[in-house]
């Protein structure tokens, strides 16, 4: 290519999402309606009826630009969280919020601390802005918070941590996470990725620190994709000190959250029954998978999210065999876990279909070493 691109792009990997149903159907000649996807931690119950109705109404105004400041959605989120709208920023998915952090804080020579087996987007953001990634070895496939704190140097600008963590599903204790956030120097941004927060029974609540202004370096990132079942809308929100949010707003593109997404999110916030059904379905599904894995003699990681990590031997091969049987799950080779696959919790019927496919796939592959 004759063009000279940004040198930082040389080390930026391309994010590989879970494979779409249509793609697998085309490739393998399968009926798309017979395929289930348990690869991307989506809500198997779908969006709420309230959200669907609101989005249908919003379609009639599709010729108009959305409210660029999302006034009503910010007001509703602020009231729900007990903060002001100035504490909130919206993103095209929570991934865009992570990119805002990169724009604002990461530069060549600056360090970003992450845990081993962290969400793939953190290294991508770091590389995109020329930062130096500092990977702290995991502890039982989860965060070693003491080691992460020790890895912070005068050059550190950001610490990314997801709780529960993706892709491992691990969670740290409330006390340990609170102590960690308190110990990080105020000159270092602590970005807590809380995409799966709503699946925890009793999560650590950092909103008091946000409200009081005690932790101006803390940013909480949440999403409507998981518990609310609105992944296709791409809508996330960040909660932080108004001064930090104001800096991030300088980076946000105009109209980055569309009107359909805003309407669906507004309605979804009212549908607490849908969220509770999602939590109940998820709890039952995790228990069913744990029982099945024990019966199959497979190691798995106790999960606090809406997915589970299980060791199957040749992860990529097992995923391939399962796809032939109409079940899409996620191989973990890209996360340096080639013997593992990640399975999202589905409906009870989908979970049974997945376990049947997994059993057949294991029978056609070498046993776990």
């Amino acid at each position: 290519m004759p063009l000279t691109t940004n040198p930082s792009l040389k080390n930026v990997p391309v994010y590989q999402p879970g494979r779409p149903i249509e793609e697998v159907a085309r490739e393998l000649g399968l009926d798309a309606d017979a395929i289930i996807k348990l690869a991307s931690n989506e809500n198997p119950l779908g969006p709420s009826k309230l959200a669907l109705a609101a989005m249908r109404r919003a379609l009639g105004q599709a010729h108009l630009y959305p409210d660029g400041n999302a006034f009503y959605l910010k007001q509703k989120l602020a009231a729900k969280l007990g903060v002001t709208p100035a504490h909130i920023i919206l993103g095209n998915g929570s991934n865009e919020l992570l990119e805002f952090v990169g724009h604002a804080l990461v530069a060549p020579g600056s360090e970003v601390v992450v845990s081993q087996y962290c969400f793939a987007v953190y290294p991508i953001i770091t590389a995109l802005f020329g930062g130096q990634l500092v990977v702290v070895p995991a502890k039982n496939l989860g965060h070693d918070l003491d080691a992460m704190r020790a890895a912070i140097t005068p050059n550190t600008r950001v610490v990314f941590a997801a709780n529960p963590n993706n892709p491992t599903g691990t969670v740290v204790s409330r006390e340990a996470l609170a102590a960690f956030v308190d110990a990080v120097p105020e000159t270092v941004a602590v970005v807590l990725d809380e995409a799966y927060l709503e699946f925890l029974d009793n999560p650590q609540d950092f909103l008091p620190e946000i409200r009081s202004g005690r932790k101006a370096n803390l940013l909480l990132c949440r999403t409507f994709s998981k518990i609310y079942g609105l992944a296709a809308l791409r809508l996330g929100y960040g909660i932080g000190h108004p001064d930090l949010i104001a800096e991030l707003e300088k980076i946000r593109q105009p109209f980055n959250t569309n009107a359909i997404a805003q309407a669906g999110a507004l309605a979804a916030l009212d549908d607490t029954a849908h969220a509770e059904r999602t939590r109940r379905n998820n709890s039952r599904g995790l228990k069913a998978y744990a029982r099945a894995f024990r019966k199959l003699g497979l190691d798995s990681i106790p999960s606090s999210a809406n997915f589970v990590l299980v060791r199957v031997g040749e992860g990529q091969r097992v995923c391939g065999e399962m796809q032939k049987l109409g079940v899409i799950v996620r191989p973990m080779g890209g996360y340096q876990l080639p013997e593992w696959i990640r399975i999202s919790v589905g409906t009870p019927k989908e979970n049974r279909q997945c376990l049947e496919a997994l059993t057949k796939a294991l029978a056609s592959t070498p046993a776990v070493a």
Side-chain angles (χ1 to χ4, degrees), residues 95 172 230 237 253:
N95 278 10
V172 296
L230 300 176
Y237 58 102
Q253 292 292 314

Side-chain angles (χ1 to χ4, degrees), residues 339-351:
E339 293 187 340
W340 300 75
I341 63 174
R342 193 189 67 194
I343 301 174
S344 305
V345 175
T347 63
K349 181 180 178 181
E350 289 173 335
N351 297 338

Side-chain angles (χ1 to χ4, degrees), residues 298 311-315 317-318 321 339 360-369:
L298 300 175
R311 184 171 178 260
V312 296
E314 296 183 77
R317 186 176 175 184
V318 168
E321 293 297 323
E339 293 187 340
K360 292 178 181 177
L362 290 172
S364 66
T365 60
V368 177

